[in-house]
Structures are given as structure tokens and as C-alpha cells.
Amino acid sequence: MSTTRRDFIKKSAIATAGTYLGAMGFSAKSYANIIGANDRVRVGVVGFSDRFKDTLLPCFLHHNKELNFDMVAVSDLWNYRRGLGVDHLKSKFGHDITACRNNEELYNLKDLDAVIVSTADFQHAMHAIEAVQAKCDVYCEKPFAETMDDNKAALKAIKASKQIVQIGSQRRSGNNYKAAAQFIKDGKFGGITMVELSWNVNQPGRWRRPALVEKLREQDTDWKRFLINRPFEAWDPRKYLEYRLFWPYSSGMPGQWMSHQIDTVHWFTGLKHPRSVTANGGIYQWKDGRRNWDTTTAVFDYGPENDMQNGFQVVFTSRMHNGDERPAEIYYSNGGELNLITNKISPKGGLTANAAKAMNMQANLLPETSLPGLATPVAASANTGGDALSSAHMRNWMECIRSRKETNAPVEAGYYHSIANIMTNAAVRTGGKATFDEKRQEVVVNGKVFKY
């Protein structure tokens, strides 16, 4: 988008702010009333991944015609996937798609307004930096960052820009999650005393791509560009395509799964990160050369930094060798529980009259109730075909590009979930307790800053 067009859309959005209905509130008719709304927003793809093809693109297609968004280019280092991307997008949009060998070529294009980043975990933060520096708005998949150096650099670059950024923490666009956040913030739940998070699967092929690994040749991609700022390793197609199994290209379970769930803790409580983390992980079932664990347990201490007498624990557990992929998120208070699988608030486990009487106390039991608003179920798989929750999140980003309002999951959401992820990774890999140094903005274990 030219500077003139950008300024025009921005000024138009400001001029109509009084009539803006908020995220998820626009209709096709209301868009027609916005000056500049007929300017098409041209979007590029950074990484033609399975996640993009099977989830993000279908979500985009749910809304692009109404909101006047188009997809015009795809950047992918691997010529095979780049070609697949061009062909697939041509079939969906009915016009030519520009193929870019790398992001430098992508951002040299004229009139590119926004990008969707769906690359390897360790690349997200750096690709977000490239995007905002090119004056593009960004939908950035999670995890936002896997090291604090990348996390801090990306936060700084995005905050210094005027770009709209949506982190792919789609729970923030779910009506049931919004209702849960409000219920807790209104004090109706009582003080949180414990949170249980879990994500279990039994899938030998999860994060594996053996057929693609066989197809990939070093001369068909750009290994040096792929590594970005990671320590050099000799060419390995498994690390390129199965990166979720190999640190430092991914933390695995924390970055892929925990990042979603721990973000709700931050959102619901207003706390930015854990006070400390102890964790253990191991490879107990799938002996396939991976570096990242197939089993993880992490215990977090959350609460005010200046009041260590108050707080609560969060436990995250994950196993890849037994489970049916129904992620659990249960919040506990003295009066009962808030269960984001059943979308129910109940007195289960609360302080009963008999137990209270023994200590001359009053019973504390929450009323049995459903979370208000339409529940939006979590689609656990990475490739959902365009589930309702991800679709709502994509729409929120698209609407915010029009309005220049803050998204449901701004950069801070990614920054803080990344701190929790990095602390967990550090605790497992060092065997120590990880804390966060607020002054230095660094994860520390046994007095030492955690890097790799």
C-alpha cells in the first residue's frame, strides 16, 4: 500500500471512529459506509505451510470478499512449496499470484499491505520484524518467539511501528473465553487458587513429515536463510520440515501447545508472566532422533511480584503417547471451578457447609451456570479446515486493519506467552528453577541468563 493510501485509510478510520461497532460488529453494509473501504487490502503469505493452507487460508476465505481483502503473493524458500502455493492460491482467487523466493523479494513488491506469517516456530518473531519494517500489517502465528533476544527485538520493532499485529492466540476471539475473562475480572469467581492445563495426543506422526523429508533437497531451498540467527548446523531436511521436534528451532510442547493455554492465564488475571517455573520433560516413547520431549510437566508460580504471600499455581501437562486431543483448561477457586471444556461454572470442589462449619466458617459454593454467550469450541489440531475460533480471530485482524484499532491478541500477548514458554524450556533443559529478571527482561536459571 502506498504511503498516500495508508494515510487515507487511517484518516478515514479515525473520522468514522464514532460509528465503529467494534470487533466482530461490522456488517457488509456498514463497511460500505466507511470512506476508503473500497480500497482492496493486498495480502502476502510468508511460508506456504500446512497450517496456512488448511486453516488460515480457509479462515481468510470466509471473510475476504465481504471485507475486500485479496491474496497476491507467496514467499517460501523451498521451490516445491512455493510452486504449490502459487497454484493453490490461483485456484482460490482466480488471478495470478507472485512467487517470491524470499521475504526480500516479497517486500520489494508494490502495494503489499499485509502478510500472514506461518513459518517455523523460531522464525516468527524475526519475520514479524521484517513485516512491520516493510510497513505491512501482520497476522503472526504462535509461538511468537522462542528466545528472549528475538522476543525483545520483535516487541521493540512492532511497538515502534504503526502496524496492526494479531498474534495467533485465537482463544482471545472466542465468546466463551471472553465471558470467562469477564466473569473472573468482575470478581464473581473469587480468587484463583489453581489452574490445570493439559494437552495429550497419541499420534506417532504428529510433527513428522517423512514423505516431504524424502522430497527436499538442499539445492532447492536456502538453508542459510532458513537458519536466520540460529547457530549453524549442517544441512538437515528433518530440521527444516520437522522443526517442532528439534531445539533450538522449536521448544516443542511449550511453544506449540502451552502457549495457547498459558495466554489465557495472563489474559484472565492481568499477570504478565510466572514468578517461577519448575519443569521436567523426557523422550519416553518416540525414539526417532528428536530433541524435544514427548512428555512434559511444568509447575508455575503466579502472583504479584511485590506480594509473595498471594498467588496460585498453574500446572501444565502434556504427553504424545496417550491421549485423545481434548485440551483441558480448568480454573479453581475456593468456591468451585470454571471449566473451559464444558463451558460451565460449577460449585464442584467448593467449600461445603459441613466442612465450613467445623471451622466456624461459611460455605462457599458457586452457582451452577453456563458461561454466557455462544461457546466457540477449540479445534485442537493445527489443520482445522477453518474452524470457527480461528475464523473469528482472522476476521478480527482484518477488521482491525480497516479500523486501525488494536487486535484481540496484540503483540504484548505474544511477548508474555513467550516469556512463560522460554522459562519452561529453560527449566527443563537446565534442571533448575527458572525466574524472570524484570530489569534485564531475561529468563534466569541459577543466576545465569538462559540462551540455548
Side-chain angles (χ1 to χ4, degrees):
M1 191 183 292
S2 66
T3 301
T4 302
R5 282 183 66 212
R6 288 182 192 281
D7 290 344
F8 181 69
I9 287 177
K10 182 178 178 182
K11 289 174 182 177
S12 299
I14 292 171
T16 58
T19 60
Y20 176 64
L21 299 179
M24 304 301 293
F26 277 123
S27 67
K29 183 178 179 181
S30 65
Y31 265 97
N33 293 330
I34 297 177
I35 299 171
N38 289 331
D39 286 336
R40 179 162 294 184
V41 177
R42 295 157 56 90
V43 181
V45 181
V46 180
F48 189 72
S49 63
D50 293 341
R51 173 68 175 170
F52 171 78
K53 175 179 175 289
D54 296 328
T55 298
L56 301 181
L57 177 59
C59 292
F60 185 88
L61 289 168
H62 290 164
H63 312 292
N64 74 296
K65 289 182 180 178
E66 177 192 349
L67 306 186
N68 199 11
F69 276 63
D70 194 14
M71 208 155 276
V72 298
V74 59
S75 170
D76 199 293
L77 298 176
W78 186 15
N79 59 10
Y80 172 72
R81 271 190 165 162
R82 189 164 62 245
L84 287 179
V86 167
D87 292 344
H88 189 71
L89 293 175
K90 272 186 179 181
S91 72
K92 297 296 183 183
F93 293 93
H95 59 67
D96 287 340
I97 301 293
T98 302
C100 302
R101 293 174 298 172
N102 51 55
N103 292 345
E104 185 178 2
E105 289 188 358
L106 178 71
Y107 295 122
N108 281 336
L109 298 177
K110 295 180 180 179
D111 290 334
L112 185 69
D113 308 319
V115 295
I116 296 173
V117 173
S118 184
T119 48
D121 291 357
F122 75 101
Q123 297 172 337
H124 293 163
M126 305 311 292
H127 286 164
I129 291 173
E130 291 177 351
V132 299
Q133 288 179 344
K135 303 293 191 290
C136 283
D137 299 322
V138 190
Y139 186 106
C140 184
E141 266 300 320
K142 45 99 302 259
F144 181 58
E146 294 279 24
T147 68
M148 281 307 303
D149 287 346
D150 292 351
N151 205 22
K152 291 186 289 185
L155 177 70
K156 182 178 179 180
I158 291 169
K159 295 299 287 183
S161 80
K162 297 180 180 179
Q163 304 314 128
I164 299 299
V165 174
Q166 177 87 295
I167 304 302
S169 301
Q170 64 264 30
R171 281 165 169 74
R172 289 191 178 231
S173 291
N175 290 325
N176 52 325
Y177 282 90
K178 292 177 184 178
Q182 196 62 51
F183 188 83
I184 290 171
K185 288 176 181 178
D186 287 345
K188 297 176 181 178
F189 186 61
I192 295 171
T193 56
M194 181 76 179
V195 182
E196 290 183 356
L197 311 173
S198 65
W199 199 310
N200 305 314
V201 304
N202 194 349
Q203 301 170 357
R206 191 66 173 250
W207 304 343
R208 296 294 309 274
R209 299 289 186 274
L212 279 177
V213 168
E214 286 295 317
K215 189 185 294 286
L216 179 59
R217 298 290 180 268
E218 184 175 6
Q219 61 267 26
D220 294 331
T221 188
D222 190 330
W223 178 239
K224 185 176 180 180
R225 275 186 183 268
F226 175 82
L227 292 175
I228 305 183
N229 58 2
R230 290 303 185 263
F232 180 79
E233 287 192 66
W235 163 250
D236 187 338
R238 285 199 68 193
K239 296 186 178 76
Y240 189 105
L241 290 168
E242 299 179 349
Y243 56 85
R244 293 179 180 92
L245 301 175
F246 298 99
W247 175 253
Y249 310 111
S250 172
S251 58
M253 289 171 163
Q256 279 294 304
W257 293 336
M258 193 188 81
S259 62
H260 281 300
Q261 296 183 320
I262 209 70
D263 176 62
T264 65
V265 177
H266 301 159
W267 176 22
F268 292 176
T269 66
L271 296 169
K272 295 178 179 179
H273 57 76
R275 292 189 293 209
S276 67
V277 184
T278 55
N280 191 276
I283 302 169
Y284 298 108
Q285 178 67 32
W286 306 120
K287 315 288 187 179
D288 55 5
R290 67 183 65 198
R291 291 180 186 166
N292 291 336
W293 331 294
D294 62 18
T295 309
T296 303
T297 300
V299 180
F300 303 83
D301 173 54
Y302 272 90
E305 292 290 334
N306 60 355
D307 184 5
M308 298 301 290
Q309 300 304 311
N310 287 299
F312 57 93
Q313 281 193 348
V314 177
V315 176
F316 170 79
T317 62
S318 185
R319 58 183 184 269
M320 298 187 75
H321 42 75
N322 179 282
D324 54 3
E325 195 156 20
R326 288 189 294 175
E329 296 165 81
I330 306 175
Y331 285 71
Y332 297 99
S333 73
N334 181 252
E337 70 173 38
L338 188 159
N339 189 318
L340 283 157
I341 298 302
T342 62
N343 292 305
K344 299 284 187 183
I345 297 163
S346 77
K348 184 178 179 181
L351 182 62
T352 63
N354 285 341
K357 183 179 180 180
M359 298 301 295
N360 295 317
M361 300 171 69
Q362 297 294 315
N364 182 13
L365 296 172
L366 292 170
E368 187 92 35
T369 183
S370 296
L371 286 170
L374 179 65
T376 310
V378 172
S381 172
N383 307 317
T384 66
D387 63 282
L389 198 57
S390 298
S391 181
H393 206 53
M394 180 64 71
R395 184 183 179 94
N396 173 250
W397 176 62
M398 296 163 81
E399 290 182 338
C400 288
I401 288 175
R402 289 289 185 197
S403 70
R404 310 314 290 175
K405 284 180 173 283
E406 186 173 79
T407 59
N408 287 343
V411 62
E412 288 85 356
Y415 183 75
Y416 293 120
H417 82 222
S418 295
I419 291 174
N421 296 347
I422 296 163
M423 290 174 72
T424 304
N425 195 31
V428 175
R429 296 190 186 282
T430 64
K433 178 186 285 190
T435 58
F436 189 69
D437 187 318
E438 287 282 357
K439 184 176 181 180
R440 292 186 290 175
Q441 294 289 289
E442 295 284 4
V443 172
V444 176
V445 184
N446 300 328
K448 295 182 180 179
V449 172
F450 176 76
K451 293 294 185 182
Y452 295 105

